[in-house]
Amino acid sequence: KAGVTQTPRYLIKTRGQQVTLSCSPISGHRSVSWYQQTPGQGLQFLFEYFSETQRNKGNFPGRFSGRQFSNSRSEMNVSTLELGDSALYLCASSLGLADTQYFGPGTRLTVL
Amino acid sequence: GIQVEQSPPDLILQEGANSTLRCNFSDSVNNLQWFHQNPWGQLINLFYIPSGTKQNGRLSATTVATERYSLLYISSSQTTDSGVYFCAVSLSGNTPLVFGKGTRLSVIA
């Protein structure tokens, strides 16, 4: 079974731009969660989608948004990028939120 | 919200040594997972262990839910065990995982 894939793997943007990251979960998994990892804040939960519905949202500004498609693939969008948005963005898929989570390789975003 | 504390924050071992990593949490949980993040950033799930004991090769984990802690044991460590080990917990089946700050392990040949 193929693992979780994330695209792109690396991204460089400038302040004020927007970015869209993509995550394809393991086949059959309907829950997709997004996390931001930075050296200062560690791993922080962004949001979770299940069957195209956002069920949980972390404490991030409205510039961070996401969606899930009918095939369970998910995208997250960050608008009006700030320097502090530079981070590793990780996507995890699972059967349900209470189940084992499997992480993708991450997208490393650098904002200049 | 729930607090997750991991200790020690850093650990340096000689190859072949054993180690114990600890995770304390502040509330009752119904989900606890251990992850290993390799130097390239990939997070690998090691154990799903809200209670009890599990073993997988040289790794084993024990969670004592009533006392709110979990332990990860690494025996006969190898250089490939290097990386950061995270403990993550959630309060219920509908709440997201909360991660600890991790234990950074360096295994030296």
PDB file of all heavy atoms in Angstrom, chain B residues 43-69:
ATOM      1  N   LEU B  43       8.363  11.459   9.910  1.00  0.00           N
ATOM      2  CA  LEU B  43       7.824  10.925  11.167  1.00  0.00           C
ATOM      3  C   LEU B  43       7.307   9.520  10.933  1.00  0.00           C
ATOM      4  O   LEU B  43       6.450   9.302  10.084  1.00  0.00           O
ATOM      5  CB  LEU B  43       6.679  11.796  11.671  1.00  0.00           C
ATOM      6  CG  LEU B  43       7.024  12.955  12.590  1.00  0.00           C
ATOM      7  CD1 LEU B  43       5.858  13.927  12.652  1.00  0.00           C
ATOM      8  CD2 LEU B  43       7.349  12.453  13.980  1.00  0.00           C
ATOM      9  N   ILE B  44       7.830   8.582  11.726  1.00  0.00           N
ATOM     10  CA  ILE B  44       7.417   7.186  11.617  1.00  0.00           C
ATOM     11  C   ILE B  44       6.684   6.791  12.887  1.00  0.00           C
ATOM     12  O   ILE B  44       7.177   7.038  13.991  1.00  0.00           O
ATOM     13  CB  ILE B  44       8.628   6.260  11.433  1.00  0.00           C
ATOM     14  CG1 ILE B  44       9.456   6.685  10.220  1.00  0.00           C
ATOM     15  CG2 ILE B  44       8.185   4.805  11.311  1.00  0.00           C
ATOM     16  CD1 ILE B  44       8.724   6.556   8.910  1.00  0.00           C
ATOM     17  N   ASN B  45       5.520   6.194  12.726  1.00  0.00           N
ATOM     18  CA  ASN B  45       4.778   5.738  13.884  1.00  0.00           C
ATOM     19  C   ASN B  45       5.418   4.479  14.450  1.00  0.00           C
ATOM     20  O   ASN B  45       5.622   3.507  13.727  1.00  0.00           O
ATOM     21  CB  ASN B  45       3.320   5.474  13.496  1.00  0.00           C
ATOM     22  CG  ASN B  45       2.439   5.258  14.695  1.00  0.00           C
ATOM     23  OD1 ASN B  45       2.546   4.258  15.389  1.00  0.00           O
ATOM     24  ND2 ASN B  45       1.560   6.208  14.942  1.00  0.00           N
ATOM     25  N   LEU B  46       5.745   4.519  15.739  1.00  0.00           N
ATOM     26  CA  LEU B  46       6.363   3.372  16.394  1.00  0.00           C
ATOM     27  C   LEU B  46       5.328   2.508  17.110  1.00  0.00           C
ATOM     28  O   LEU B  46       5.339   1.283  16.983  1.00  0.00           O
ATOM     29  CB  LEU B  46       7.431   3.839  17.391  1.00  0.00           C
ATOM     30  CG  LEU B  46       8.592   4.635  16.837  1.00  0.00           C
ATOM     31  CD1 LEU B  46       9.469   5.137  17.972  1.00  0.00           C
ATOM     32  CD2 LEU B  46       9.390   3.800  15.850  1.00  0.00           C
ATOM     33  N   PHE B  47       4.495   3.164  17.909  1.00  0.00           N
ATOM     34  CA  PHE B  47       3.505   2.437  18.700  1.00  0.00           C
ATOM     35  C   PHE B  47       2.231   3.263  18.843  1.00  0.00           C
ATOM     36  O   PHE B  47       2.278   4.489  18.974  1.00  0.00           O
ATOM     37  CB  PHE B  47       4.032   2.150  20.119  1.00  0.00           C
ATOM     38  CG  PHE B  47       5.166   1.184  20.185  1.00  0.00           C
ATOM     39  CD1 PHE B  47       6.457   1.651  20.405  1.00  0.00           C
ATOM     40  CD2 PHE B  47       4.959  -0.174  20.045  1.00  0.00           C
ATOM     41  CE1 PHE B  47       7.522   0.770  20.458  1.00  0.00           C
ATOM     42  CE2 PHE B  47       6.016  -1.069  20.101  1.00  0.00           C
ATOM     43  CZ  PHE B  47       7.299  -0.590  20.310  1.00  0.00           C
ATOM     44  N   TYR B  48       1.124   2.541  18.821  1.00  0.00           N
ATOM     45  CA  TYR B  48      -0.170   3.070  19.250  1.00  0.00           C
ATOM     46  C   TYR B  48      -0.437   2.370  20.564  1.00  0.00           C
ATOM     47  O   TYR B  48      -0.668   1.159  20.582  1.00  0.00           O
ATOM     48  CB  TYR B  48      -1.244   2.766  18.215  1.00  0.00           C
ATOM     49  CG  TYR B  48      -2.630   3.164  18.636  1.00  0.00           C
ATOM     50  CD1 TYR B  48      -3.135   4.414  18.302  1.00  0.00           C
ATOM     51  CD2 TYR B  48      -3.450   2.301  19.355  1.00  0.00           C
ATOM     52  CE1 TYR B  48      -4.415   4.788  18.669  1.00  0.00           C
ATOM     53  CE2 TYR B  48      -4.723   2.669  19.725  1.00  0.00           C
ATOM     54  CZ  TYR B  48      -5.205   3.904  19.380  1.00  0.00           C
ATOM     55  OH  TYR B  48      -6.462   4.273  19.742  1.00  0.00           O
ATOM     56  N   ILE B  49      -0.351   3.099  21.689  1.00  0.00           N
ATOM     57  CA  ILE B  49      -0.343   2.406  22.978  1.00  0.00           C
ATOM     58  C   ILE B  49      -1.004   3.242  24.070  1.00  0.00           C
ATOM     59  O   ILE B  49      -0.309   3.797  24.944  1.00  0.00           O
ATOM     60  CB  ILE B  49       1.095   1.982  23.348  1.00  0.00           C
ATOM     61  CG1 ILE B  49       1.110   1.120  24.608  1.00  0.00           C
ATOM     62  CG2 ILE B  49       2.048   3.182  23.416  1.00  0.00           C
ATOM     63  CD1 ILE B  49       2.408   0.400  24.859  1.00  0.00           C
ATOM     64  N   PRO B  50      -2.350   3.351  24.040  1.00  0.00           N
ATOM     65  CA  PRO B  50      -3.035   4.110  25.094  1.00  0.00           C
ATOM     66  C   PRO B  50      -2.945   3.450  26.473  1.00  0.00           C
ATOM     67  O   PRO B  50      -3.142   4.108  27.494  1.00  0.00           O
ATOM     68  CB  PRO B  50      -4.475   4.176  24.609  1.00  0.00           C
ATOM     69  CG  PRO B  50      -4.608   3.045  23.651  1.00  0.00           C
ATOM     70  CD  PRO B  50      -3.257   2.846  23.032  1.00  0.00           C
ATOM     71  N   SER B  51      -2.633   2.153  26.496  1.00  0.00           N
ATOM     72  CA  SER B  51      -2.414   1.454  27.762  1.00  0.00           C
ATOM     73  C   SER B  51      -1.674   0.159  27.472  1.00  0.00           C
ATOM     74  O   SER B  51      -1.631  -0.299  26.318  1.00  0.00           O
ATOM     75  CB  SER B  51      -3.733   1.164  28.476  1.00  0.00           C
ATOM     76  OG  SER B  51      -4.509   0.277  27.695  1.00  0.00           O
ATOM     77  N   GLY B  52      -1.070  -0.410  28.513  1.00  0.00           N
ATOM     78  CA  GLY B  52      -0.429  -1.707  28.353  1.00  0.00           C
ATOM     79  C   GLY B  52       0.986  -1.637  27.815  1.00  0.00           C
ATOM     80  O   GLY B  52       1.634  -0.603  27.850  1.00  0.00           O
ATOM     81  N   THR B  53       1.463  -2.772  27.339  1.00  0.00           N
ATOM     82  CA  THR B  53       2.833  -2.916  26.868  1.00  0.00           C
ATOM     83  C   THR B  53       2.851  -3.543  25.490  1.00  0.00           C
ATOM     84  O   THR B  53       2.072  -4.457  25.211  1.00  0.00           O
ATOM     85  CB  THR B  53       3.640  -3.807  27.845  1.00  0.00           C
ATOM     86  OG1 THR B  53       3.695  -3.170  29.122  1.00  0.00           O
ATOM     87  CG2 THR B  53       5.062  -4.030  27.335  1.00  0.00           C
ATOM     88  N   LYS B  54       3.738  -3.023  24.640  1.00  0.00           N
ATOM     89  CA  LYS B  54       3.923  -3.590  23.308  1.00  0.00           C
ATOM     90  C   LYS B  54       5.405  -3.673  23.007  1.00  0.00           C
ATOM     91  O   LYS B  54       6.200  -2.889  23.531  1.00  0.00           O
ATOM     92  CB  LYS B  54       3.231  -2.715  22.246  1.00  0.00           C
ATOM     93  CG  LYS B  54       1.731  -2.769  22.264  1.00  0.00           C
ATOM     94  CD  LYS B  54       1.143  -2.010  21.086  1.00  0.00           C
ATOM     95  CE  LYS B  54      -0.363  -2.116  21.065  1.00  0.00           C
ATOM     96  NZ  LYS B  54      -0.956  -1.386  19.911  1.00  0.00           N
ATOM     97  N   GLN B  55       5.760  -4.602  22.143  1.00  0.00           N
ATOM     98  CA  GLN B  55       7.156  -4.731  21.739  1.00  0.00           C
ATOM     99  C   GLN B  55       7.227  -4.900  20.239  1.00  0.00           C
ATOM    100  O   GLN B  55       6.373  -5.544  19.621  1.00  0.00           O
ATOM    101  CB  GLN B  55       7.807  -5.926  22.422  1.00  0.00           C
ATOM    102  CG  GLN B  55       9.279  -6.126  22.043  1.00  0.00           C
ATOM    103  CD  GLN B  55      10.069  -6.907  23.069  1.00  0.00           C
ATOM    104  OE1 GLN B  55       9.515  -7.433  24.032  1.00  0.00           O
ATOM    105  NE2 GLN B  55      11.370  -6.973  22.862  1.00  0.00           N
ATOM    106  N   ASN B  56       8.271  -4.288  19.653  1.00  0.00           N
ATOM    107  CA  ASN B  56       8.518  -4.422  18.231  1.00  0.00           C
ATOM    108  C   ASN B  56      10.033  -4.449  18.039  1.00  0.00           C
ATOM    109  O   ASN B  56      10.686  -3.408  18.005  1.00  0.00           O
ATOM    110  CB  ASN B  56       7.891  -3.265  17.457  1.00  0.00           C
ATOM    111  CG  ASN B  56       8.064  -3.433  15.955  1.00  0.00           C
ATOM    112  OD1 ASN B  56       8.582  -4.453  15.488  1.00  0.00           O
ATOM    113  ND2 ASN B  56       7.622  -2.458  15.198  1.00  0.00           N
ATOM    114  N   GLY B  57      10.573  -5.646  17.965  1.00  0.00           N
ATOM    115  CA  GLY B  57      12.022  -5.781  17.809  1.00  0.00           C
ATOM    116  C   GLY B  57      12.767  -5.259  19.024  1.00  0.00           C
ATOM    117  O   GLY B  57      12.500  -5.669  20.144  1.00  0.00           O
ATOM    118  N   ARG B  58      13.673  -4.324  18.782  1.00  0.00           N
ATOM    119  CA  ARG B  58      14.461  -3.753  19.889  1.00  0.00           C
ATOM    120  C   ARG B  58      13.714  -2.671  20.656  1.00  0.00           C
ATOM    121  O   ARG B  58      14.210  -2.155  21.660  1.00  0.00           O
ATOM    122  CB  ARG B  58      15.765  -3.178  19.335  1.00  0.00           C
ATOM    123  CG  ARG B  58      16.714  -4.187  18.701  1.00  0.00           C
ATOM    124  CD  ARG B  58      17.980  -3.518  18.193  1.00  0.00           C
ATOM    125  NE  ARG B  58      17.706  -2.574  17.116  1.00  0.00           N
ATOM    126  CZ  ARG B  58      17.699  -1.257  17.272  1.00  0.00           C
ATOM    127  NH1 ARG B  58      17.964  -0.713  18.451  1.00  0.00           N
ATOM    128  NH2 ARG B  58      17.436  -0.467  16.234  1.00  0.00           N
ATOM    129  N   LEU B  59      12.564  -2.300  20.185  1.00  0.00           N
ATOM    130  CA  LEU B  59      11.780  -1.250  20.832  1.00  0.00           C
ATOM    131  C   LEU B  59      10.601  -1.864  21.578  1.00  0.00           C
ATOM    132  O   LEU B  59       9.991  -2.828  21.105  1.00  0.00           O
ATOM    133  CB  LEU B  59      11.255  -0.271  19.793  1.00  0.00           C
ATOM    134  CG  LEU B  59      12.134   0.907  19.402  1.00  0.00           C
ATOM    135  CD1 LEU B  59      13.462   0.464  18.826  1.00  0.00           C
ATOM    136  CD2 LEU B  59      11.401   1.802  18.417  1.00  0.00           C
ATOM    137  N   SER B  60      10.328  -1.272  22.736  1.00  0.00           N
ATOM    138  CA  SER B  60       9.116  -1.637  23.455  1.00  0.00           C
ATOM    139  C   SER B  60       8.578  -0.389  24.143  1.00  0.00           C
ATOM    140  O   SER B  60       9.308   0.589  24.336  1.00  0.00           O
ATOM    141  CB  SER B  60       9.383  -2.750  24.476  1.00  0.00           C
ATOM    142  OG  SER B  60      10.269  -2.303  25.479  1.00  0.00           O
ATOM    143  N   ALA B  61       7.299  -0.422  24.473  1.00  0.00           N
ATOM    144  CA  ALA B  61       6.666   0.723  25.115  1.00  0.00           C
ATOM    145  C   ALA B  61       5.679   0.235  26.150  1.00  0.00           C
ATOM    146  O   ALA B  61       5.049  -0.818  25.978  1.00  0.00           O
ATOM    147  CB  ALA B  61       5.971   1.611  24.082  1.00  0.00           C
ATOM    148  N   THR B  62       5.567   1.028  27.201  1.00  0.00           N
ATOM    149  CA  THR B  62       4.607   0.742  28.264  1.00  0.00           C
ATOM    150  C   THR B  62       3.887   2.024  28.607  1.00  0.00           C
ATOM    151  O   THR B  62       4.523   3.067  28.799  1.00  0.00           O
ATOM    152  CB  THR B  62       5.329   0.216  29.522  1.00  0.00           C
ATOM    153  OG1 THR B  62       5.909  -1.046  29.233  1.00  0.00           O
ATOM    154  CG2 THR B  62       4.351   0.067  30.677  1.00  0.00           C
ATOM    155  N   THR B  63       2.566   1.962  28.690  1.00  0.00           N
ATOM    156  CA  THR B  63       1.768   3.100  29.133  1.00  0.00           C
ATOM    157  C   THR B  63       0.991   2.703  30.380  1.00  0.00           C
ATOM    158  O   THR B  63       0.279   1.699  30.367  1.00  0.00           O
ATOM    159  CB  THR B  63       0.794   3.572  28.048  1.00  0.00           C
ATOM    160  OG1 THR B  63       1.550   4.010  26.917  1.00  0.00           O
ATOM    161  CG2 THR B  63      -0.068   4.725  28.548  1.00  0.00           C
ATOM    162  N   VAL B  64       1.160   3.507  31.441  1.00  0.00           N
ATOM    163  CA  VAL B  64       0.378   3.317  32.665  1.00  0.00           C
ATOM    164  C   VAL B  64      -0.603   4.478  32.717  1.00  0.00           C
ATOM    165  O   VAL B  64      -0.295   5.570  33.222  1.00  0.00           O
ATOM    166  CB  VAL B  64       1.286   3.298  33.909  1.00  0.00           C
ATOM    167  CG1 VAL B  64       0.460   3.012  35.158  1.00  0.00           C
ATOM    168  CG2 VAL B  64       2.381   2.248  33.741  1.00  0.00           C
ATOM    169  N   ALA B  65      -1.769   4.253  32.138  1.00  0.00           N
ATOM    170  CA  ALA B  65      -2.727   5.340  31.941  1.00  0.00           C
ATOM    171  C   ALA B  65      -3.185   5.933  33.278  1.00  0.00           C
ATOM    172  O   ALA B  65      -3.376   7.149  33.379  1.00  0.00           O
ATOM    173  CB  ALA B  65      -3.923   4.841  31.137  1.00  0.00           C
ATOM    174  N   THR B  66      -3.338   5.095  34.295  1.00  0.00           N
ATOM    175  CA  THR B  66      -3.830   5.579  35.597  1.00  0.00           C
ATOM    176  C   THR B  66      -2.827   6.517  36.255  1.00  0.00           C
ATOM    177  O   THR B  66      -3.204   7.374  37.053  1.00  0.00           O
ATOM    178  CB  THR B  66      -4.130   4.410  36.537  1.00  0.00           C
ATOM    179  OG1 THR B  66      -2.964   3.580  36.600  1.00  0.00           O
ATOM    180  CG2 THR B  66      -5.310   3.600  36.041  1.00  0.00           C
ATOM    181  N   GLU B  67      -1.548   6.356  35.931  1.00  0.00           N
ATOM    182  CA  GLU B  67      -0.520   7.223  36.505  1.00  0.00           C
ATOM    183  C   GLU B  67      -0.022   8.254  35.499  1.00  0.00           C
ATOM    184  O   GLU B  67       0.891   9.023  35.778  1.00  0.00           O
ATOM    185  CB  GLU B  67       0.638   6.375  37.044  1.00  0.00           C
ATOM    186  CG  GLU B  67       0.213   5.456  38.170  1.00  0.00           C
ATOM    187  CD  GLU B  67       1.382   4.749  38.825  1.00  0.00           C
ATOM    188  OE1 GLU B  67       2.524   5.234  38.729  1.00  0.00           O
ATOM    189  OE2 GLU B  67       1.146   3.678  39.426  1.00  0.00           O
ATOM    190  N   ARG B  68      -0.623   8.266  34.319  1.00  0.00           N
ATOM    191  CA  ARG B  68      -0.395   9.302  33.314  1.00  0.00           C
ATOM    192  C   ARG B  68       1.059   9.392  32.852  1.00  0.00           C
ATOM    193  O   ARG B  68       1.651  10.494  32.824  1.00  0.00           O
ATOM    194  CB  ARG B  68      -0.901  10.659  33.808  1.00  0.00           C
ATOM    195  CG  ARG B  68      -2.387  10.623  34.117  1.00  0.00           C
ATOM    196  CD  ARG B  68      -2.914  11.941  34.575  1.00  0.00           C
ATOM    197  NE  ARG B  68      -4.335  11.844  34.945  1.00  0.00           N
ATOM    198  CZ  ARG B  68      -5.012  12.797  35.533  1.00  0.00           C
ATOM    199  NH1 ARG B  68      -4.424  13.949  35.814  1.00  0.00           N
ATOM    200  NH2 ARG B  68      -6.284  12.623  35.831  1.00  0.00           N
ATOM    201  N   TYR B  69       1.609   8.244  32.473  1.00  0.00           N
ATOM    202  CA  TYR B  69       2.930   8.283  31.869  1.00  0.00           C
ATOM    203  C   TYR B  69       3.103   7.097  30.929  1.00  0.00           C
ATOM    204  O   TYR B  69       2.389   6.091  31.025  1.00  0.00           O
ATOM    205  CB  TYR B  69       4.052   8.298  32.920  1.00  0.00           C
ATOM    206  CG  TYR B  69       4.284   6.990  33.639  1.00  0.00           C
ATOM    207  CD1 TYR B  69       5.168   6.030  33.129  1.00  0.00           C
ATOM    208  CD2 TYR B  69       3.637   6.709  34.835  1.00  0.00           C
ATOM    209  CE1 TYR B  69       5.382   4.832  33.792  1.00  0.00           C
ATOM    210  CE2 TYR B  69       3.849   5.522  35.508  1.00  0.00           C
ATOM    211  CZ  TYR B  69       4.716   4.586  34.987  1.00  0.00           C
ATOM    212  OH  TYR B  69       4.920   3.403  35.636  1.00  0.00           O
TER     213      TYR B  69
END
